[in-house]
Amino acid sequence: MDTTQRTDQQRSADRRRRELLEAADRVVLRDGPQASMNAIAAEAGITKPILYRHFGDKGGLYAALAKRHTDALLDSLRAALDAPADRRERVESTLDTYLAAIEARPQVYRFLMHPAEGSAGGDQGFDVGKHSAPLLRRMGEELAQVIEERVDLGPGSQQLARVWGHGIVGMMHAAGDWWLGERPCSRAELVRSLADLLWGRLAAAGDRMGGPGF
Amino acid sequence: MDTTQRTDQQRSADRRRRELLEAADRVVLRDGPQASMNAIAAEAGITKPILYRHFGDKGGLYAALAKRHTDALLDSLRAALDAPADRRERVESTLDTYLAAIEARPQVYRFLMHPAEGSAGGDQGFDVGKHSAPLLRRMGEELAQVIEERVDLGPGSQQLARVWGHGIVGMMHAAGDWWLGERPCSRAELVRSLADLLWGRLAAAGDRMGGPGF
DNA sequence: AGACTCGGGTTACCGCTAGTAACATCGCAT
DNA sequence: ATGCGATGTTACTAGCGGTAACCCGAGTCT
């Protein structure tokens, strides 16, 4: 029958695809985003053209790889964000989830944030995917949705929620990136500091000297 | 005499260097960060090895190029940040300065945010955290310094200021990047929304439905 | 049986890149 | 004139992403 045959083939293809993705994962984890198609193929025990048959081009492979990790991370973030707790607690928990993830697997994190720009080689012509990390965009959009659903922002709430979504995600990301490099404090302290920022402590603080402020 | 000779040579070398940088600038502005050394050399009317004599490698050239723009942008940001006005006004003005800059020359902005990733072959030694866009780091550090100088944050202020510096810069960056791509609102609205976020409107807003929060 | 397509696989190649070694050339101080 | 150092070029290496061409074993049709 056509269908069974087709499903068989598709199954086998999917299995191969998963195997290749796992091999690619290993190599990217080891070599960073500079991992070459040759190296990935070698790790998978096959040769380049097969990779290209499965993923089209390097961008395709990287996109597939990124989607896996992105989906996984977004799942845990959603869980933290949707927990039955008050807002501050949810915010802190979400921040901590994100930071714990990038702390646990910095290589993955680095790969997700700078996937394109594949160094040298013939990637001239068209940039696959956007230049910016899709993970940030997706997190921003999801957070925007949650904010709009759960926080009462008055008129213009939708637009405001989107700005805030992307802004808060960017804050988390930049602070996390810096923290991961310098480790100037514990994760819990970082989470608290960021939540304090979001909770308006900047606006509430007084000026230091009798400067130009009021 | 040694000194005069040296200064003469150095002057000429500096002039060349500046010419090369301007040529590189033109190419990068036209071709994006994918600009090749060959193309840059051609634009400057010379050949590759000269570029390498002046800048070491591609990373060196890009770093020099980035430093110029980064310095220029930081100067205008500092001006906005140090203006004699109250805090909210300064914050809005700084946000607006940044957003106006990336709006006016998006190519430069894209280049500054994704400069590195070069280096084919040999070097596989890279530390997580160091490779991120230096512009963000510098902005974060500068902002941290200003915050610590001018805002009274009580004990632990230095560390808190640094977290906030990087966090706020990241917020600005991510929101700006998203805004630049989608243009969902005017620049002024974006500035206002972000300032509102920093001013604690998130904490002040009520829950939408009778959800788990109180 | 025998020809025939077809999916998975490999070799060998293209055009491009970053980076370098070796050679040529000009200006200049002794 | 002669050596020297900076400036410049040609010609090359090594490696990349990506592709064309071939190859082979398994199932199918006649």
Side-chain angles (χ1 to χ4, degrees), chain A residues 86 88 202:
Chain A
D86 78 1
R88 165 104 190 195
L202 173 62

Side-chain angles (χ1 to χ4, degrees), chain B residues 16 47 49-50 53:
Chain B
R16 264 292 179 274
T47 49
I50 305 185
R53 283 226 247 275

Side-chain angles (χ1 to χ4, degrees), chain A residues 9 12 16 45-47 49-50 53 120-122 124:
Chain A
Q9 283 174 191
S12 134
R16 266 293 180 274
I46 44 105
T47 49
I50 304 184
R53 285 227 247 273
Q124 60 138 19

Side-chain angles (χ1 to χ4, degrees), chain B residues 44 57 59 110 125 177:
Chain B
D57 63 350
R110 304 253 180 251
D177 195 68

Side-chain angles (χ1 to χ4, degrees), chain B residues 20 36-38 40-41 44 46-57 61:
Chain B
L20 298 186
S36 80
M37 294 298 261
N38 252 329
I40 293 174
I46 45 105
T47 49
K48 268 194 301 178
I50 305 185
L51 282 182
Y52 284 95
R53 283 226 247 275
H54 274 269
F55 300 102
D57 63 350
L61 201 176

Side-chain angles (χ1 to χ4, degrees), chain A residues 45-121:
Chain A
I46 44 105
T47 49
K48 269 194 301 178
I50 304 184
L51 281 182
Y52 284 94
R53 285 227 247 273
H54 274 270
F55 301 102
D57 63 352
K58 193 180 185 176
L61 202 176
Y62 275 38
L65 212 51
K67 189 169 186 322
R68 284 173 116 213
H69 290 120
T70 299
D71 287 347
L73 179 54
L74 277 176
D75 278 350
S76 24
L77 288 180
R78 257 188 297 262
L81 209 48
D82 285 344
D86 78 1
R87 199 184 300 157
R88 165 104 190 195
E89 213 166 321
R90 278 185 337 235
V91 167
E92 291 200 4
S93 157
T94 306
L95 286 170
D96 194 63
T97 300
Y98 173 83
L99 293 171
I102 74 173
E103 182 181 30
R105 308 179 58 180
Q107 301 275 17
V108 173
Y109 158 70
R110 155 112 178 87
F111 164 70
L112 286 179
M113 288 308 172
H114 305 272
E117 315 279 343
S119 78

